[in-house]
Amino acid sequence: RGSTKRQRHKKILSLAKGAQGSRSVLFRTANQQVMHSLKYGYTHRALKKRIYKQLWITRINATVRQNSGKYSIFMHTLRSKNILLNRKMLSQLAIFDKKVFLLLAQNTDQVEPKKNVR
């Protein structure tokens, strides 16, 4: 029993290494800290995906609105014309390659052509 207990304690204490105070030294508090940390890690992995999706939508919306369009209509016409770019890629185009993004937007009849686009 002694060696199993020691291995389990070492495992928990190594997982709680970055915690402050007794949370990284005493087994009982370290165990509580590790359980909380694992729970938060699980939920925040899902939250991170949600936050990134919101960011991509905001970027696309901002670029479409700068060129007198609406995000929802833009996305709908993309889907109806079978242009299957996801939001992440559309966001990257909106930031780094505005010319291509505006070509897409013009293809969806959302944006009227402008001159001098960088």
Side-chain angles (χ1 to χ4, degrees), residues 61-98:
N61 189 22
T63 309
V64 169
R65 282 187 185 272
Q66 279 178 352
N67 299 292
S68 66
K70 289 188 177 179
Y71 170 80
S72 58
I73 299 169
F74 173 71
M75 291 303 286
H76 174 72
T77 47
L78 277 181
R79 295 285 181 259
S80 63
K81 290 192 176 193
N82 242 358
I83 300 173
L84 302 175
L85 284 172
N86 62 14
R87 288 174 181 86
K88 181 180 180 180
M89 292 301 115
L90 286 170
S91 166
Q92 293 291 313
L93 285 174
I95 294 171
F96 297 115
D97 202 353
K98 281 201 178 184

Side-chain angles (χ1 to χ4, degrees), residues 4-5 24 44 74 80 94 105:
T4 309
K5 181 178 177 180
S24 63
H44 289 139
F74 173 71
S80 63

Side-chain angles (χ1 to χ4, degrees), residues 94-107:
I95 294 171
F96 297 115
D97 202 353
K98 281 201 178 184
K99 287 183 181 179
V100 174
F101 186 83
L102 289 177
L103 283 173
L104 271 173
Q106 290 165 9
N107 191 16

